[in-house]
Coordinates of all heavy atoms in Angstrom, one line a residue:
G2 N 0.9 -1.2 0.1 CA 0.1 0.0 0.1 C 0.9 1.2 0.0 O 1.9 1.2 0.5
L3 N 0.3 2.2 -0.6 CA 1.0 3.6 -0.5 C 0.7 4.3 0.7 O -0.6 4.7 0.9 CB 0.6 4.4 -1.9 CG 1.5 5.6 -2.1 CD1 2.9 5.3 -2.4 CD2 0.8 6.5 -3.3
L4 N 1.6 4.6 1.4 CA 1.3 5.1 2.9 C 2.0 6.5 3.0 O 3.1 6.8 2.5 CB 2.0 4.2 3.9 CG 1.9 4.6 5.4 CD1 1.9 3.4 6.3 CD2 3.1 5.5 5.8
S5 N 1.3 7.4 3.6 CA 1.8 8.7 3.9 C 1.4 9.3 5.2 O 0.2 8.9 5.7 CB 1.3 9.8 2.7 OG 2.0 11.0 2.9
T6 N 2.2 10.0 5.9 CA 1.8 10.6 7.2 C 1.3 12.0 6.9 O 1.9 12.8 6.3 CB 3.1 10.8 8.0 OG1 3.8 9.4 8.0 CG2 2.7 11.2 9.4
M7 N 0.1 12.1 7.3 CA -0.6 13.4 7.2 C -0.8 14.2 8.5 O -0.6 13.7 9.6 CB -2.1 13.0 6.8 CG -2.2 12.0 5.6 SD -1.5 12.9 4.2 CE -2.8 14.2 3.8
P8 N -1.0 15.6 8.4 CA -1.0 16.4 9.7 C -2.3 16.3 10.6 O -3.4 15.9 10.0 CB -1.0 17.7 9.1 CG -1.6 17.7 7.6 CD -1.3 16.4 7.2
V9 N -2.1 16.4 11.8 CA -3.2 16.6 12.8 C -3.2 17.9 13.4 O -2.1 18.3 13.9 CB -3.1 15.5 13.9 CG1 -4.1 15.7 15.0 CG2 -3.3 14.1 13.2
M10 N -4.3 18.6 13.4 CA -4.2 20.0 13.9 C -3.9 20.0 15.3 O -4.4 19.3 16.2 CB -5.7 20.6 13.7 CG -6.1 20.7 12.2 SD -4.9 21.7 11.1 CE -3.8 20.5 10.4
G11 N -2.9 20.9 15.7 CA -2.5 21.1 17.1 C -1.6 20.1 17.6 O -1.3 20.1 18.9
Q12 N -1.2 19.0 16.8 CA -0.4 18.0 17.2 C 0.9 17.9 16.2 O 0.8 18.4 15.2 CB -1.0 16.6 17.3 CG -2.2 16.6 18.2 CD -2.9 15.3 18.2 OE1 -2.3 14.3 18.0 NE2 -4.1 15.2 18.7
T13 N 2.0 17.3 16.7 CA 3.1 17.1 15.9 C 3.3 15.8 15.2 O 4.1 15.5 14.6 CB 4.3 17.4 16.7 OG1 4.5 16.6 17.8 CG2 4.4 18.9 17.1
T14 N 2.4 14.8 15.8 CA 2.6 13.4 15.5 C 2.0 13.0 14.1 O 2.6 12.3 13.3 CB 2.1 12.6 16.5 OG1 0.6 12.8 16.7 CG2 2.7 12.5 17.9
G15 N 0.9 13.6 13.8 CA 0.2 13.3 12.5 C -0.4 11.9 12.6 O -0.4 11.2 13.5
F16 N -1.0 11.4 11.3 CA -1.5 10.0 11.4 C -1.1 9.4 10.0 O -0.8 10.2 9.0 CB -3.1 10.1 11.4 CG -3.7 10.7 10.3 CD1 -4.3 9.9 9.2 CD2 -3.9 12.0 10.1 CE1 -4.9 10.6 8.2 CE2 -4.7 12.6 9.1 CZ -5.2 11.8 8.1
D17 N -1.1 8.2 10.0 CA -0.6 7.4 8.7 C -1.8 6.9 7.9 O -2.8 6.5 8.7 CB 0.3 6.1 9.1 CG 1.6 6.6 9.6 OD1 2.2 7.5 9.2 OD2 2.0 6.0 10.7
M18 N -1.9 7.1 6.7 CA -3.0 6.6 6.0 C -2.6 5.9 4.8 O -1.6 6.1 4.0 CB -3.9 7.8 5.5 CG -5.1 7.5 4.8 SD -6.1 9.1 4.6 CE -7.5 8.4 3.5
L19 N -3.3 4.8 4.5 CA -3.0 3.9 3.3 C -4.4 3.1 3.1 O -5.2 2.9 4.0 CB -1.9 3.0 3.5 CG -2.0 1.8 4.4 CD1 -0.7 1.0 4.2 CD2 -2.1 2.1 5.9
D20 N -4.6 2.8 1.7 CA -3.7 3.0 0.6 C -4.1 4.3 0.0 O -5.3 4.6 -0.1 CB -4.0 1.8 -0.4 CG -3.4 1.9 -1.7 OD1 -2.2 2.5 -1.8 OD2 -3.9 1.4 -2.7
L21 N -3.1 5.0 -0.5 CA -3.4 6.4 -1.2 C -3.4 6.3 -2.7 O -3.2 7.3 -3.4 CB -2.3 7.3 -0.6 CG -2.5 7.6 0.9 CD1 -1.4 8.6 1.3 CD2 -3.9 8.1 1.3
G22 N -3.4 5.1 -3.3 CA -3.6 5.0 -4.7 C -2.7 3.9 -5.3 O -2.8 3.9 -6.6
A23 N -2.1 3.3 -4.7 CA -1.3 2.1 -5.3 C -2.3 1.0 -5.9 O -1.9 0.4 -7.0 CB -0.4 1.4 -4.3
N24 N -3.5 0.9 -5.4 CA -4.4 -0.1 -5.8 C -5.7 0.5 -5.9 O -6.3 1.0 -4.8 CB -4.5 -1.4 -4.9 CG -3.1 -1.9 -4.6 OD1 -2.5 -2.7 -5.5 ND2 -2.6 -1.5 -3.6
A25 N -6.5 0.7 -6.9 CA -7.8 1.4 -7.2 C -8.9 0.4 -6.6 O -9.8 0.9 -5.9 CB -8.0 1.7 -8.5
D26 N -8.7 -0.8 -6.9 CA -9.8 -1.9 -6.4 C -9.1 -2.7 -5.3 O -8.1 -3.2 -5.4 CB -10.3 -2.6 -7.5 CG -10.9 -1.8 -8.5 OD1 -11.8 -1.0 -8.1 OD2 -10.5 -1.8 -9.7
N27 N -9.8 -2.9 -4.2 CA -9.4 -3.8 -3.0 C -10.3 -4.7 -2.5 O -11.6 -4.5 -2.7 CB -8.9 -2.9 -2.0 CG -7.6 -2.1 -2.3 OD1 -7.7 -0.9 -2.4 ND2 -6.5 -2.8 -2.5
K28 N -10.0 -5.8 -1.9 CA -10.8 -6.7 -1.3 C -10.6 -6.5 0.2 O -9.7 -5.8 0.7 CB -10.3 -8.2 -1.5 CG -10.5 -8.7 -2.9 CD -10.0 -10.1 -3.0 CE -10.0 -10.6 -4.5 NZ -9.4 -11.9 -4.7
A29 N -11.5 -7.0 1.1 CA -11.5 -6.7 2.5 C -10.2 -7.3 3.1 O -9.6 -6.5 4.0 CB -12.7 -7.3 3.2
E30 N -9.7 -8.3 2.6 CA -8.4 -9.0 3.0 C -7.2 -8.0 2.8 O -6.2 -7.9 3.6 CB -8.2 -10.4 2.4 CG -9.1 -11.4 2.8 CD -10.5 -11.3 2.2 OE1 -10.7 -10.4 1.2 OE2 -11.4 -12.0 2.5
H31 N -7.3 -7.2 1.7 CA -6.2 -6.2 1.5 C -6.1 -5.1 2.4 O -5.1 -4.8 3.0 CB -6.3 -5.6 0.0 CG -6.4 -6.7 -1.1 ND1 -7.0 -6.4 -2.3 CD2 -5.8 -7.8 -1.2 CE1 -6.9 -7.5 -3.1 NE2 -6.0 -8.4 -2.5
L32 N -7.4 -4.6 2.8 CA -7.5 -3.7 3.8 C -7.0 -4.0 5.2 O -6.4 -3.2 5.9 CB -8.9 -3.2 3.9 CG -9.2 -1.9 3.0 CD1 -9.1 -2.3 1.6 CD2 -10.6 -1.3 3.2
V33 N -7.2 -5.4 5.5 CA -6.7 -5.9 6.7 C -5.1 -5.9 6.8 O -4.5 -5.5 7.7 CB -7.2 -7.3 7.0 CG1 -6.5 -7.9 8.2 CG2 -8.7 -7.3 7.2
Q34 N -4.7 -6.2 5.7 CA -3.1 -6.2 5.4 C -2.7 -4.7 5.5 O -1.6 -4.4 6.2 CB -2.7 -6.7 4.2 CG -2.5 -8.2 4.2 CD -1.6 -8.9 3.1 OE1 -1.2 -8.2 2.1 NE2 -1.2 -10.1 3.3
Y35 N -3.4 -3.7 5.0 CA -3.1 -2.3 5.1 C -3.0 -1.9 6.6 O -2.1 -1.2 7.0 CB -4.0 -1.4 4.4 CG -4.0 -1.6 2.9 CD1 -5.1 -1.2 2.1 CD2 -2.9 -2.2 2.2 CE1 -5.1 -1.4 0.7 CE2 -2.9 -2.4 0.8 CZ -4.1 -1.9 0.1 OH -3.9 -2.0 -1.2
A36 N -4.1 -2.4 7.4 CA -4.1 -2.1 8.7 C -2.8 -2.6 9.5 O -2.3 -1.9 10.4 CB -5.5 -2.7 9.4
I37 N -2.3 -3.8 9.3 CA -1.2 -4.5 9.8 C 0.0 -3.7 9.4 O 0.9 -3.3 10.2 CB -1.2 -6.0 9.5 CG1 -2.3 -6.7 10.0 CG2 0.2 -6.5 9.9 CD1 -2.4 -8.2 9.5
L38 N 0.1 -3.3 8.2 CA 1.3 -2.5 7.6 C 1.3 -1.1 8.2 O 2.4 -0.8 8.6 CB 1.2 -2.5 6.0 CG 1.3 -3.7 5.3 CD1 1.0 -3.5 3.8 CD2 2.8 -4.2 5.4
G39 N 0.3 -0.4 8.2 CA 0.2 0.8 8.8 C 0.6 0.9 10.3 O 1.3 1.8 10.8
S40 N 0.0 -0.1 11.1 CA 0.2 -0.2 12.5 C 1.8 -0.5 12.6 O 2.4 0.1 13.7 CB -0.7 -1.3 13.0 OG -0.5 -1.4 14.5
F41 N 2.4 -1.4 11.9 CA 3.7 -1.7 12.0 C 4.6 -0.5 11.6 O 5.5 -0.2 12.4 CB 4.0 -2.9 10.9 CG 5.3 -3.6 11.3 CD1 5.2 -4.7 12.1 CD2 6.4 -3.4 10.7 CE1 6.3 -5.5 12.4 CE2 7.6 -4.1 10.9 CZ 7.4 -5.1 11.7
Y42 N 4.2 0.2 10.7 CA 5.1 1.5 10.4 C 4.9 2.5 11.5 O 6.0 3.1 11.9 CB 4.5 2.1 9.0 CG 5.3 3.2 8.6 CD1 6.4 3.2 7.8 CD2 5.0 4.6 9.0 CE1 7.1 4.2 7.3 CE2 5.7 5.7 8.5 CZ 6.7 5.6 7.7 OH 7.4 6.7 7.2
A43 N 3.8 2.8 12.0 CA 3.5 3.8 13.0 C 4.3 3.4 14.3 O 4.8 4.3 15.0 CB 2.0 3.9 13.3
N44 N 4.3 2.1 14.5 CA 5.0 1.7 15.8 C 6.5 1.7 15.6 O 7.2 2.3 16.5 CB 4.5 0.2 16.1 CG 5.3 -0.3 17.2 OD1 6.0 -1.4 17.2 ND2 5.2 0.3 18.4
N45 N 7.0 1.2 14.5 CA 8.5 1.0 14.4 C 9.2 2.3 13.9 O 10.3 2.6 14.3 CB 8.7 -0.1 13.3 CG 8.6 -1.5 14.1 OD1 9.3 -2.0 14.7 ND2 7.3 -2.0 13.8
V46 N 8.6 3.2 12.9 CA 9.2 4.2 12.4 C 9.0 5.5 13.3 O 9.8 6.2 13.5 CB 8.8 4.4 10.9 CG1 9.5 5.7 10.3 CG2 9.3 3.1 10.1

């Protein structure tokens, strides 16, 4: 998934969002993987 960190008003941390356009059509299973990927990135990076 294409992941980007976006701003949160009044905070410096922001939030990670995906998919931002790598795949136009998705199955529910893909979105579950995005959740795991995004959580992994937010935690480790």
Side-chain angles (χ1 to χ4, degrees):
L3 193 61
L4 175 153
S5 187
T6 304
M7 307 295 290
V9 170
M10 299 298 99
Q12 298 181 24
T13 58
T14 54
F16 70 94
D17 296 316
M18 185 170 175
L19 73 168
D20 178 26
L21 295 178
N24 309 280
D26 298 304
N27 292 109
K28 299 177 183 177
E30 291 77 11
H31 300 153
L32 270 63
V33 173
Q34 279 202 341
Y35 295 157
I37 296 170
L38 291 172
S40 187
F41 201 87
Y42 183 91
N44 177 240
N45 286 274
V46 179

